[in-house]
């Protein structure tokens, strides 16, 4: 268990600015969801929030062995370790908002790229991951990974990019299946229906679509996380001891 023991060099102003930006992007996502009125999109967005729990279980305490600045406002604290509340907001922006656009234009992706869309989606989420994390950890000094070369690049585990790429493909697959199985244009038109029976019916369809998407997203998170378990057990990329912070 790696415990944060200081600010890691980040200033309070930078951390608060990061948190405000994360909150603003999260609000943008909520506004987009309200306009779309699609429970599958809400389910994917909620699935992105769950990445925070996997971050706590695997990345915080094992895979990434990462320490966060003590300036972060915690979502919770357990055994002396904090999980920043800003993280699920960032995940919703990084995975949730692009996923809404991809799912809305899935027919265009099918026609234009066919099977090639899958490696393209992988790259869409994998390629920005390293620059994003390098900027946050090396420039802003918001967090620090306790892993060593050759498994890191500029202090960030390059496996994070692979993980993000597979998550992008997984969430996209979950959304497509949920749209195929639970939600149709007719369901959206039914949102304007009136009367007690119509209200009960459309609420039930909304809940089924949302829960199905969230369940598929959770399955994606679980499957991809455990798929990385053998790799980490073999390479053991962690620093022998955590450096003083």
């Amino acid at each position: 268990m790696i415990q944060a023991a200081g600010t890691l060099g980040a200033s309070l102003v930078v951390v608060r600015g990061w948190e405000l930006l994360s909150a603003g992007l999260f609000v943008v996502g909520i506004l987009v969801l309200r306009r779309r009125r699609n429970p599958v999109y809400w389910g994917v967005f909620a699935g992105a929030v769950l990445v925070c729990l996997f971050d706590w279980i695997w990345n915080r305490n094992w895979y990434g062995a990462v320490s966060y600045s003590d300036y972060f406002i915690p979502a919770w604290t357990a055994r002396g370790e904090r999980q920043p509340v800003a993280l699920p907001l960032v995940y919703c922006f990084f995975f949730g908002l692009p996923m809404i656009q991809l799912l809305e234009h899935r027919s265009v992706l099918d026609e234009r790229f066919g099977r090639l869309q899958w490696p393209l989606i992988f790259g869409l989420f994998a390629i920005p991951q390293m620059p994003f994390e390098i900027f946050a950890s090396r420039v802003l000094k918001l967090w620090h990974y306790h892993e060593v070369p050759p498994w890191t690049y500029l202090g960030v585990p390059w496996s994070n990019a692979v993980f993000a790429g597979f998550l992008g493909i997984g969430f996209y697959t979950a959304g497509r299946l949920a749209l195929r199985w639970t939600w149709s244009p007719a369901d959206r038109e039914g949102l304007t229906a009136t009367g007690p029976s119509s209200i009960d019916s459309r609420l039930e369809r909304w809940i089924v679509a949302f829960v199905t998407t969230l369940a598929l997203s959770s399955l994606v998170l679980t499957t991809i996380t455990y798929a990385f378990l053998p790799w980490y057990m073999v390479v053991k990329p962690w620093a022998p001891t955590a450096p003083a912070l």
Side-chain angles (χ1 to χ4, degrees):
M1 208 165 50
I2 305 297
Q3 294 190 16
T7 65
L8 304 179
S11 72
L12 178 61
V13 173
V14 169
V15 174
R16 289 294 175 267
W18 181 272
E19 290 172 329
L20 287 173
L21 177 61
S22 303
L25 293 172
F26 179 80
V27 170
V28 169
I30 296 298
L31 294 176
V32 170
L33 288 170
R34 283 177 59 85
R35 293 189 62 182
R36 298 302 192 276
R37 299 193 305 168
N38 190 318
V40 172
Y41 299 162
W42 281 96
V44 171
F45 208 72
V49 174
L50 294 181
V51 179
C52 183
L53 298 178
F54 284 79
D55 178 89
W56 171 259
I57 297 168
W58 294 105
N59 195 29
R60 180 74 173 94
N61 291 287
W62 190 28
Y63 276 10
V66 61
S67 296
Y68 298 104
S69 170
D70 283 346
Y71 284 144
F72 274 112
I73 298 172
W76 64 78
T77 302
R79 299 180 67 186
E81 298 188 49
R82 296 180 173 189
Q83 183 72 2
V85 72
L87 287 185
L89 309 181
V90 172
Y91 293 141
C92 285
F93 165 72
F94 190 84
F95 292 106
L97 283 177
M99 201 57 60
I100 292 172
Q101 296 300 315
L102 290 171
L103 290 172
E104 279 200 325
H105 298 89
R106 62 193 182 281
S107 59
V108 176
L109 293 173
D110 289 342
E111 295 173 4
R112 187 168 299 180
F113 300 107
R115 293 181 179 178
L116 186 60
Q117 68 182 290
W118 298 101
L120 290 176
I121 290 172
F122 179 92
L124 177 65
F125 291 94
I127 293 173
Q129 180 70 25
M130 292 299 288
F132 167 79
E133 291 235 45
I134 290 170
F135 177 74
S137 61
R138 295 295 294 268
V139 179
L140 300 182
K141 302 184 185 301
L142 297 172
W143 54 77
H144 177 80
Y145 286 98
H146 301 285
E147 294 191 16
V148 295
W151 314 113
T152 60
Y153 179 73
L154 295 179
V156 176
W158 48 261
S159 59
N160 286 10
V162 181
F163 192 83
F166 280 122
L167 278 184
I169 289 178
F171 282 144
Y172 181 62
T173 302
R176 286 185 65 117
L177 289 176
L179 286 167
R180 181 185 303 174
W181 293 342
T182 65
W183 197 252
S184 67
D187 291 315
R188 179 168 182 174
E189 293 172 3
L191 292 175
T192 60
T194 59
S197 61
S198 298
I199 293 174
D200 292 342
S201 176
R202 73 171 185 259
L203 178 60
E204 180 181 349
R205 294 198 305 273
W206 201 100
I207 292 174
V208 168
F210 174 80
V211 171
T212 299
T213 310
L214 186 58
L216 290 172
S217 298
S218 300
L219 179 61
V220 164
L221 280 166
T222 304
T223 302
I224 296 175
T225 299
Y226 278 100
F228 272 71
L229 178 60
W231 188 87
Y232 272 91
M233 291 180 66
V234 171
V235 303
K236 296 180 172 61
W238 309 286
T241 59
L245 302 176

